[in-house]
Amino acid sequence: MPNVKALPLLEPEAPDAVVPCCPPLSERPFTAEEAERTARMFKALGDPVRLRLFSAVASHEGGEACVCDISDVGVSQPTVSHHLKKLKEAGLLTSERRGTWVYYRVEPSVLAAMGQLLAVR
């Protein structure tokens, strides 16, 4: 089986640090690779259910939310899990299993990186 490495949207320097995948839009034109990575992030957030889930996690007290606390977005639990998985694959969420529940977190550096990407200089 070949070694295939997925390119993350946000590449960590350290376990807790996340750096932006790309420079701010106003700094210079994106390379094809940067545009592809950034598009994955926006595509993940382009779904209203995913955006609601991302917002619910980001705004939850303590900066993390149990899946049991964020499932009221108008779709079934399997669909919630699917959308959370897509957000995680895009590098927008991290998760940790604790017993039978999974807790999701948006690292503050992810929000900072998103803001920096859209910053106008």
Side-chain angles (χ1 to χ4, degrees):
M1 187 168 166
N3 271 342
V4 177
K5 181 181 177 191
L7 294 174
L9 174 66
L10 302 170
E11 299 175 15
E13 291 177 342
D16 295 84
V18 178
V19 296
C21 72
C22 311
L25 289 170
S26 59
E27 186 176 299
R28 63 168 173 76
F30 282 173
T31 65
E33 183 179 309
E34 290 169 339
E36 201 167 307
R37 282 188 260 160
T38 303
R40 276 185 285 203
M41 177 184 69
F42 285 115
K43 183 177 180 182
L45 291 174
D47 182 282
V49 172
R50 288 186 199 148
L51 190 55
R52 287 185 67 198
L53 288 168
F54 184 74
S55 174
V57 173
S59 64
H60 202 270
E61 186 178 331
E64 71 176 10
C66 174
V67 69
C68 60
D69 294 330
I70 57 171
S71 58
D72 187 23
V73 291
V75 295
S76 67
Q77 182 55 45
T79 305
V80 167
S81 295
H82 166 77
H83 287 304
L84 288 169
K85 177 183 173 187
K86 292 297 184 183
L87 290 167
K88 189 174 170 186
E89 288 172 352
L92 297 169
L93 294 179
T94 59
S95 67
E96 178 183 353
R97 180 170 292 281
R98 297 182 199 150
T100 59
W101 295 110
V102 178
Y103 288 78
Y104 290 88
R105 172 179 293 280
V106 176
E107 296 297 331
S109 55
V110 170
L111 294 176
M114 289 172 63
Q116 183 180 1
L117 175 69
L118 297 173
V120 178
R121 293 181 188 229

